[in-house]
Amino acid sequence: MNLKIGVIKGDGIGPEVVTEAMKVLDKVGEVYGHTYSYEQLLMGGASIDVHGVPITDEMIETAKSCEAILMGSIGGDAKTSPWYKLEPSKRPEAGLLKIRKALNLFANLRPAVLYDELKGACPLKEELTEGGFDMMIMRELTGGLYFGERKTEEIDGLMTACDSLTYNEEEIRRIAIRGFDIAMKRNKKVTSVDKANVLDSSRLWRKVVEEVSKDYPEVTLEHMLVDNCAMQLVKNPKQFDVILTENMFGDILSDEASMVTGSIGMLASASLNETKFGLYEPSGGSAPDIAGKGIANPIATILSAAMMLRFSFDLDREASVIEAAVEKVLEEGYRTIDIMSEGKTLVGTSEMGDLIAGHII
Ligand code: IPM
Ligand code: MG
């Protein structure tokens, strides 16, 4: 099969980690008889440097012509990078928000798994994580605060800023349906996270999620307030299967969940629309402080590539082979610096990619 994949290497550690994911994909191609047409796409700071904007309309059109997109990360150091002297709508992050909206990528899947081998990197007490955990954060990605109207103005002599949080029932319904569908393939539990004790948008969220749940009698639904959820994630992470939540809560909780797994360098993600198209990226950022040093963990990006094979190309076997290769390399004791612990073997970005590719057989 020939796979047409758009590649956004992006900024910071992006190019390094994407290179390793492509190395692994190439090996999968060799072994399983697939070929790739890669389309290099500029976004974020890399696009600002060339075009003056974080994403161009042409780039979005080219992205639409691909079957899936593999992405590294975007953004730089907000204190030192010239990109952050631009107005907010021209900064690197605006490119990512724009492509999510333009391609209608409303469903963001962020699996947080504690690998047995990485227990040592998990900051929680062992008794809390005994037996490991495996949760899927389903984050709504094209609505809410990140896409609402915003403005900063002077009112009565005071600088005043406003961001608006809007959801309509349809936006909630479609992500809820995705959440329940995924739960049906997992442990059949959905924890819907909101702030219904305060926010109207959360009260509507809860009501629509309740309605959707009626079509899934086998799935247990529970509601949890977001502040409690932040606490439960470190108190008892094993209780979660699918966490279903709105955009900003999902942004925050997924970073928290990643640290509970040991490192954000392990957390893959898929952003999907109604079709097979998806954008796949590690959940972590561009980490400008370690960019170019060859020490970044490429595993989240490699696992994102596996998600791409599974969701956009229905290549389940190939996806599982990549996931198994990652586990094998961890079992053999190889670690990048972010997940390093005593007695293990420290490797760099490209060596980690080589090792994982070496297990694709
Ligand atoms: C993420 C990132 C983005 C987001 C930023 C870079 C706009 O934090 O994917 O979690 O908030 O969605
Ligand atoms: Mg984030």
Side-chain angles (χ1 to χ4, degrees):
M1 165 172 187
N2 183 55
L3 286 52
K4 187 164 184 209
I5 300 170
V7 177
I8 302 173
K9 291 193 171 175
D11 311 319
I13 59 170
E16 296 162 65
V17 292
V18 170
T19 300
E20 299 316 306
M22 291 170 76
K23 190 187 275 176
V24 173
L25 283 174
D26 286 343
K27 187 70 191 295
V28 168
E30 252 171 57
V31 176
Y32 293 93
H34 304 300
T35 52
Y36 305 94
S37 313
Y38 289 122
E39 187 82 54
Q40 298 292 335
L41 304 168
L42 285 184
M43 198 173 91
S47 172
I48 296 174
D49 289 345
V50 177
H51 302 294
V53 288
I55 193 165
T56 62
D57 293 343
E58 294 75 49
M59 176 321 202
I60 290 179
E61 285 315 306
T62 317
K64 281 183 182 163
S65 74
C66 298
E67 292 169 283
I69 293 181
L70 180 66
M71 186 188 138
S73 51
I74 48 115
D77 183 335
K79 280 202 201 100
T80 56
S81 162
W83 302 328
Y84 294 90
K85 298 212 165 64
L86 299 167
E87 60 167 282
S89 67
K90 297 230 167 67
R91 293 179 194 165
E93 289 73 9
L96 181 57
L97 295 179
K98 192 163 173 188
I99 196 171
R100 285 173 179 169
K101 193 74 172 179
L103 299 175
N104 198 25
L105 304 171
F106 66 88
N108 184 218
L109 279 63
R110 297 188 165 183
V113 180
L114 180 64
Y115 289 89
D116 220 39
E117 286 297 327
L118 289 187
K119 273 192 189 146
C122 172
L124 301 184
K125 282 197 214 117
E126 229 180 291
E127 67 222 52
L128 299 177
T129 55
E130 198 49 50
F133 57 77
D134 177 350
M135 66 183 104
M136 177 70 87
I137 300 190
M138 288 283 302
R139 167 186 175 193
E140 200 291 328
L141 202 60
T142 53
L145 265 178
Y146 296 9
F147 291 93
E149 266 178 51
R150 64 181 96 259
K151 64 178 171 211
T152 305
E153 61 189 339
E154 200 175 305
I155 301 179
D156 297 335
L158 295 175
M159 286 310 290
T160 307
C162 167
D163 297 283
S164 47
L165 199 183
T166 307
Y167 271 107
N168 68 42
E169 54 180 312
E170 201 35 55
E171 289 171 313
I172 302 170
R173 193 168 294 116
R174 63 183 184 177
I175 185 77
I177 291 172
R178 278 293 174 93
F180 280 91
D181 282 344
I182 297 239
M184 282 299 287
K185 294 190 186 148
R186 298 172 45 98
N187 291 325
K188 300 196 170 75
K189 180 176 175 194
V190 169
T191 305
S192 174
V193 175
D194 60 38
K195 186 71 185 172
N197 53 347
V198 178
L199 303 176
D200 261 25
S201 54
S202 281
R203 285 187 272 268
L204 181 63
W205 180 279
R206 207 174 260 221
K207 178 169 173 283
V208 175
V209 171
E210 287 280 349
E211 284 164 16
V212 170
S213 76
K214 298 206 171 78
D215 294 330
Y216 298 84
E218 285 174 56
V219 177
T220 307
L221 168 66
E222 68 174 11
H223 300 283
M224 193 177 276
L225 296 174
V226 61
D227 43 355
N228 184 28
C229 183
M231 187 174 81
Q232 295 297 332
L233 274 171
V234 290
K235 196 171 162 215
N236 178 15
K238 283 187 278 188
Q239 70 183 288
F240 296 110
D241 179 21
V242 173
I243 292 182
L244 172 65
T245 192
E246 63 96 68
N247 204 344
M248 184 171 72
F249 298 161
D251 187 18
I252 298 169
L253 294 176
S254 59
D255 270 26
E256 186 187 357
S258 75
M259 272 324 290
V260 175
T261 69
S263 167
I264 198 157
M266 298 296 297
L267 208 69
S269 97
S271 303
L272 308 173
N273 60 22
E274 305 278 11
T275 71
K276 284 264 159 214
F277 183 91
L279 183 149
Y280 301 85
E281 55 170 320
S283 295
S286 58
D289 51 327
I290 59 162
K293 295 190 178 156
I295 59 170
N297 184 350
I299 293 180
T301 317
I302 291 169
L303 292 173
S304 300
M307 289 183 92
M308 173 178 80
L309 296 183
R310 177 170 287 123
F311 290 111
S312 287
F313 299 104
D314 289 321
L315 295 173
D316 272 293
R317 178 190 54 181
E318 287 81 342
S320 304
V321 165
I322 295 178
E323 287 156 358
V326 168
E327 278 188 53
K328 192 90 193 109
V329 169
L330 293 176
E331 253 171 60
E332 288 169 352
Y334 296 105
R335 303 282 188 271
T336 42
I337 185 87
D338 55 312
I339 50 174
M340 184 61 189
S341 58
E342 226 185 292
K344 304 296 177 191
T345 313
L346 184 64
V347 296
T349 311
S350 107
E351 202 177 349
M352 182 56 99
D354 288 338
L355 288 161
I356 295 169
H359 281 292
I360 309 285
I361 37 171

Short mmCIF file of all heavy atoms in Angstrom, two decimals, residues 274-315:
data_model
loop_
_atom_site.label_atom_id
_atom_site.label_comp_id
_atom_site.label_asym_id
_atom_site.label_seq_id
_atom_site.Cartn_x
_atom_site.Cartn_y
_atom_site.Cartn_z
N GLU A 274 -14.26 13.50 11.15
CA GLU A 274 -15.27 12.47 10.90
C GLU A 274 -14.79 11.40 9.90
O GLU A 274 -15.44 10.38 9.73
CB GLU A 274 -16.55 13.10 10.30
CG GLU A 274 -17.15 14.23 11.11
CD GLU A 274 -18.03 13.73 12.25
OE1 GLU A 274 -18.01 12.52 12.55
OE2 GLU A 274 -18.71 14.58 12.87
N THR A 275 -13.68 11.70 9.21
CA THR A 275 -13.20 10.76 8.20
C THR A 275 -12.03 9.96 8.76
O THR A 275 -11.76 10.00 9.94
CB THR A 275 -12.74 11.50 6.94
OG1 THR A 275 -11.53 12.19 7.24
CG2 THR A 275 -13.80 12.51 6.47
N LYS A 276 -11.30 9.31 7.89
CA LYS A 276 -10.12 8.55 8.34
C LYS A 276 -8.90 9.44 8.53
O LYS A 276 -7.86 9.02 9.03
CB LYS A 276 -9.77 7.49 7.27
CG LYS A 276 -10.70 6.31 7.30
CD LYS A 276 -10.07 5.20 8.13
CE LYS A 276 -11.11 4.24 8.62
NZ LYS A 276 -10.81 3.70 9.92
N PHE A 277 -9.02 10.69 8.06
CA PHE A 277 -7.89 11.61 8.14
C PHE A 277 -7.54 11.91 9.60
O PHE A 277 -8.42 12.04 10.44
CB PHE A 277 -8.25 12.92 7.43
CG PHE A 277 -7.14 13.90 7.40
CD1 PHE A 277 -6.24 13.91 6.35
CD2 PHE A 277 -6.94 14.79 8.45
CE1 PHE A 277 -5.19 14.82 6.33
CE2 PHE A 277 -5.89 15.69 8.45
CZ PHE A 277 -5.01 15.70 7.39
N GLY A 278 -6.28 12.03 9.90
CA GLY A 278 -5.90 12.41 11.26
C GLY A 278 -4.54 13.10 11.28
O GLY A 278 -3.74 12.97 10.35
N LEU A 279 -4.34 13.89 12.33
CA LEU A 279 -3.03 14.50 12.55
C LEU A 279 -2.45 13.85 13.81
O LEU A 279 -3.12 13.79 14.84
CB LEU A 279 -3.20 16.02 12.72
CG LEU A 279 -1.93 16.85 12.89
CD1 LEU A 279 -2.16 18.24 12.30
CD2 LEU A 279 -1.52 17.01 14.33
N TYR A 280 -1.24 13.38 13.70
CA TYR A 280 -0.64 12.59 14.79
C TYR A 280 0.59 13.30 15.30
O TYR A 280 1.48 13.65 14.53
CB TYR A 280 -0.30 11.19 14.25
CG TYR A 280 -1.54 10.50 13.72
CD1 TYR A 280 -2.00 10.74 12.42
CD2 TYR A 280 -2.32 9.70 14.55
CE1 TYR A 280 -3.18 10.17 11.96
CE2 TYR A 280 -3.50 9.13 14.10
CZ TYR A 280 -3.92 9.36 12.80
OH TYR A 280 -5.10 8.81 12.35
N GLU A 281 0.62 13.52 16.59
CA GLU A 281 1.73 14.29 17.17
C GLU A 281 1.97 13.85 18.60
O GLU A 281 1.04 13.43 19.30
CB GLU A 281 1.41 15.79 17.13
CG GLU A 281 0.10 16.11 17.81
CD GLU A 281 -0.17 17.60 18.04
OE1 GLU A 281 0.76 18.32 18.39
OE2 GLU A 281 -1.33 18.00 17.90
N PRO A 282 3.21 13.99 19.05
CA PRO A 282 3.45 13.74 20.48
C PRO A 282 2.73 14.82 21.28
O PRO A 282 2.57 15.94 20.80
CB PRO A 282 4.97 13.90 20.61
CG PRO A 282 5.39 14.71 19.43
CD PRO A 282 4.41 14.41 18.34
N SER A 283 2.29 14.48 22.48
CA SER A 283 1.56 15.47 23.28
C SER A 283 2.49 16.54 23.86
O SER A 283 2.03 17.60 24.26
CB SER A 283 0.82 14.79 24.43
OG SER A 283 -0.16 13.95 23.92
N GLY A 284 3.75 16.25 23.92
CA GLY A 284 4.69 17.20 24.52
C GLY A 284 4.99 18.35 23.58
O GLY A 284 4.62 18.34 22.41
N GLY A 285 5.68 19.33 24.09
CA GLY A 285 5.98 20.52 23.30
C GLY A 285 7.30 20.42 22.56
O GLY A 285 7.88 19.34 22.41
N SER A 286 7.78 21.58 22.10
CA SER A 286 8.97 21.60 21.24
C SER A 286 10.27 21.59 22.05
O SER A 286 11.35 21.46 21.47
CB SER A 286 8.93 22.84 20.35
OG SER A 286 8.86 24.00 21.18
N ALA A 287 10.16 21.73 23.37
CA ALA A 287 11.32 21.65 24.27
C ALA A 287 12.56 22.35 23.72
O ALA A 287 13.61 21.73 23.54
CB ALA A 287 11.64 20.18 24.60
N PRO A 288 12.47 23.67 23.46
CA PRO A 288 13.60 24.38 22.83
C PRO A 288 14.90 24.27 23.64
O PRO A 288 15.99 24.32 23.07
CB PRO A 288 13.13 25.83 22.73
CG PRO A 288 11.88 25.94 23.54
CD PRO A 288 11.31 24.57 23.70
N ASP A 289 14.76 24.05 24.95
CA ASP A 289 15.97 23.98 25.79
C ASP A 289 16.85 22.77 25.46
O ASP A 289 18.05 22.80 25.69
CB ASP A 289 15.59 23.97 27.29
CG ASP A 289 14.53 22.92 27.62
OD1 ASP A 289 13.67 22.65 26.76
OD2 ASP A 289 14.59 22.36 28.73
N ILE A 290 16.25 21.72 24.92
CA ILE A 290 17.08 20.55 24.60
C ILE A 290 17.16 20.30 23.08
O ILE A 290 17.72 19.30 22.65
CB ILE A 290 16.59 19.26 25.32
CG1 ILE A 290 15.13 18.93 24.94
CG2 ILE A 290 16.75 19.38 26.82
CD1 ILE A 290 14.75 17.49 25.26
N ALA A 291 16.60 21.22 22.31
CA ALA A 291 16.60 21.03 20.84
C ALA A 291 18.02 20.97 20.29
O ALA A 291 18.91 21.68 20.75
CB ALA A 291 15.84 22.15 20.18
N GLY A 292 18.24 20.09 19.33
CA GLY A 292 19.52 20.01 18.65
C GLY A 292 20.59 19.27 19.43
O GLY A 292 21.72 19.11 18.97
N LYS A 293 20.26 18.79 20.61
CA LYS A 293 21.27 18.11 21.43
C LYS A 293 21.26 16.61 21.23
O LYS A 293 22.09 15.89 21.79
CB LYS A 293 21.04 18.42 22.92
CG LYS A 293 21.23 19.88 23.25
CD LYS A 293 21.22 20.10 24.76
CE LYS A 293 21.46 21.57 25.09
NZ LYS A 293 20.93 21.92 26.40
N GLY A 294 20.26 16.12 20.50
CA GLY A 294 20.20 14.67 20.25
C GLY A 294 19.82 13.87 21.49
O GLY A 294 20.16 12.70 21.61
N ILE A 295 19.11 14.51 22.42
CA ILE A 295 18.76 13.78 23.65
C ILE A 295 17.26 13.62 23.85
O ILE A 295 16.82 12.97 24.80
CB ILE A 295 19.37 14.45 24.92
CG1 ILE A 295 18.88 15.90 25.05
CG2 ILE A 295 20.89 14.41 24.87
CD1 ILE A 295 19.25 16.54 26.39
N ALA A 296 16.46 14.21 22.95
CA ALA A 296 15.00 14.16 23.14
C ALA A 296 14.50 12.73 22.99
O ALA A 296 15.07 11.92 22.25
CB ALA A 296 14.32 15.05 22.11
N ASN A 297 13.42 12.45 23.68
CA ASN A 297 12.81 11.11 23.61
C ASN A 297 11.90 11.04 22.37
O ASN A 297 10.90 11.76 22.30
CB ASN A 297 11.99 10.89 24.89
CG ASN A 297 11.39 9.51 24.96
OD1 ASN A 297 11.41 8.76 23.99
ND2 ASN A 297 10.86 9.16 26.11
N PRO A 298 12.20 10.17 21.41
CA PRO A 298 11.36 10.12 20.20
C PRO A 298 10.18 9.17 20.33
O PRO A 298 9.40 9.00 19.39
CB PRO A 298 12.35 9.59 19.14
CG PRO A 298 13.24 8.66 19.92
CD PRO A 298 13.36 9.26 21.31
N ILE A 299 10.02 8.53 21.51
CA ILE A 299 9.03 7.45 21.62
C ILE A 299 7.60 7.97 21.41
O ILE A 299 6.80 7.33 20.71
CB ILE A 299 9.18 6.69 22.96
CG1 ILE A 299 10.51 5.94 22.96
CG2 ILE A 299 8.01 5.71 23.17
CD1 ILE A 299 10.79 5.13 24.22
N ALA A 300 7.26 9.13 21.97
CA ALA A 300 5.89 9.64 21.78
C ALA A 300 5.58 9.83 20.29
O ALA A 300 4.46 9.56 19.84
CB ALA A 300 5.72 10.96 22.53
N THR A 301 6.56 10.28 19.54
CA THR A 301 6.33 10.50 18.10
C THR A 301 6.24 9.17 17.37
O THR A 301 5.43 8.99 16.46
CB THR A 301 7.46 11.38 17.53
OG1 THR A 301 7.71 12.43 18.44
CG2 THR A 301 7.06 11.96 16.17
N ILE A 302 7.07 8.23 17.77
CA ILE A 302 7.04 6.89 17.15
C ILE A 302 5.69 6.22 17.45
O ILE A 302 5.07 5.62 16.57
CB ILE A 302 8.24 6.06 17.66
CG1 ILE A 302 9.54 6.65 17.09
CG2 ILE A 302 8.09 4.58 17.29
CD1 ILE A 302 10.82 6.11 17.69
N LEU A 303 5.21 6.39 18.70
CA LEU A 303 3.90 5.82 19.04
C LEU A 303 2.76 6.57 18.33
O LEU A 303 1.71 5.99 18.03
CB LEU A 303 3.69 5.84 20.56
CG LEU A 303 4.59 4.88 21.36
CD1 LEU A 303 4.43 5.11 22.86
CD2 LEU A 303 4.30 3.41 21.02
N SER A 304 2.98 7.85 18.05
CA SER A 304 1.98 8.60 17.27
C SER A 304 1.91 8.05 15.85
O SER A 304 0.84 7.96 15.25
CB SER A 304 2.32 10.10 17.24
OG SER A 304 2.35 10.63 18.54
N ALA A 305 3.07 7.70 15.31
CA ALA A 305 3.09 7.10 13.96
C ALA A 305 2.33 5.77 13.98
O ALA A 305 1.62 5.43 13.02
CB ALA A 305 4.53 6.90 13.50
N ALA A 306 2.45 5.03 15.07
CA ALA A 306 1.71 3.77 15.19
C ALA A 306 0.20 4.05 15.20
O ALA A 306 -0.58 3.36 14.54
CB ALA A 306 2.12 3.02 16.46
N MET A 307 -0.19 5.08 15.94
CA MET A 307 -1.62 5.45 15.95
C MET A 307 -2.08 5.82 14.55
O MET A 307 -3.20 5.49 14.13
CB MET A 307 -1.87 6.63 16.90
CG MET A 307 -1.74 6.32 18.37
SD MET A 307 -2.15 7.74 19.44
CE MET A 307 -3.90 7.48 19.74
N MET A 308 -1.22 6.49 13.80
CA MET A 308 -1.57 6.87 12.43
C MET A 308 -1.83 5.64 11.58
O MET A 308 -2.81 5.58 10.83
CB MET A 308 -0.41 7.70 11.84
CG MET A 308 -0.56 8.02 10.36
SD MET A 308 0.80 9.04 9.79
CE MET A 308 2.07 7.79 9.57
N LEU A 309 -0.97 4.64 11.68
CA LEU A 309 -1.17 3.42 10.90
C LEU A 309 -2.50 2.77 11.28
O LEU A 309 -3.24 2.28 10.43
CB LEU A 309 -0.01 2.44 11.10
CG LEU A 309 1.35 2.93 10.62
CD1 LEU A 309 2.41 1.85 10.82
CD2 LEU A 309 1.32 3.35 9.15
N ARG A 310 -2.80 2.80 12.57
CA ARG A 310 -4.02 2.14 13.04
C ARG A 310 -5.28 2.90 12.63
O ARG A 310 -6.20 2.34 12.06
CB ARG A 310 -3.96 1.99 14.56
CG ARG A 310 -5.21 1.37 15.15
CD ARG A 310 -5.07 0.99 16.61
NE ARG A 310 -4.22 -0.18 16.80
CZ ARG A 310 -3.13 -0.23 17.56
NH1 ARG A 310 -2.75 0.85 18.21
NH2 ARG A 310 -2.43 -1.32 17.68
N PHE A 311 -5.32 4.20 12.90
CA PHE A 311 -6.57 4.95 12.70
C PHE A 311 -6.78 5.42 11.27
O PHE A 311 -7.90 5.41 10.77
CB PHE A 311 -6.64 6.16 13.65
CG PHE A 311 -6.84 5.77 15.09
CD1 PHE A 311 -5.84 5.94 16.03
CD2 PHE A 311 -8.05 5.22 15.52
CE1 PHE A 311 -6.01 5.58 17.36
CE2 PHE A 311 -8.24 4.86 16.85
CZ PHE A 311 -7.22 5.04 17.77
N SER A 312 -5.73 5.87 10.61
CA SER A 312 -5.93 6.42 9.25
C SER A 312 -5.78 5.36 8.17
O SER A 312 -6.33 5.51 7.09
CB SER A 312 -4.96 7.57 8.98
OG SER A 312 -5.35 8.72 9.70
N PHE A 313 -5.00 4.31 8.43
CA PHE A 313 -4.74 3.34 7.37
C PHE A 313 -5.22 1.92 7.70
O PHE A 313 -4.98 0.99 6.93
CB PHE A 313 -3.23 3.32 7.05
CG PHE A 313 -2.73 4.66 6.55
CD1 PHE A 313 -2.00 5.50 7.38
CD2 PHE A 313 -3.01 5.09 5.27
CE1 PHE A 313 -1.55 6.74 6.93
CE2 PHE A 313 -2.56 6.33 4.81
CZ PHE A 313 -1.83 7.16 5.65
N ASP A 314 -5.85 1.75 8.85
CA ASP A 314 -6.33 0.43 9.27
C ASP A 314 -5.23 -0.63 9.28
O ASP A 314 -5.51 -1.82 9.06
CB ASP A 314 -7.49 -0.04 8.36
CG ASP A 314 -8.75 0.77 8.63
OD1 ASP A 314 -9.01 1.08 9.81
OD2 ASP A 314 -9.45 1.11 7.66
N LEU A 315 -3.99 -0.21 9.52
CA LEU A 315 -2.89 -1.18 9.56
C LEU A 315 -2.61 -1.55 11.03
O LEU A 315 -1.60 -1.17 11.62
CB LEU A 315 -1.63 -0.58 8.90
CG LEU A 315 -1.76 -0.30 7.40
CD1 LEU A 315 -0.53 0.44 6.87
CD2 LEU A 315 -1.96 -1.61 6.63
#
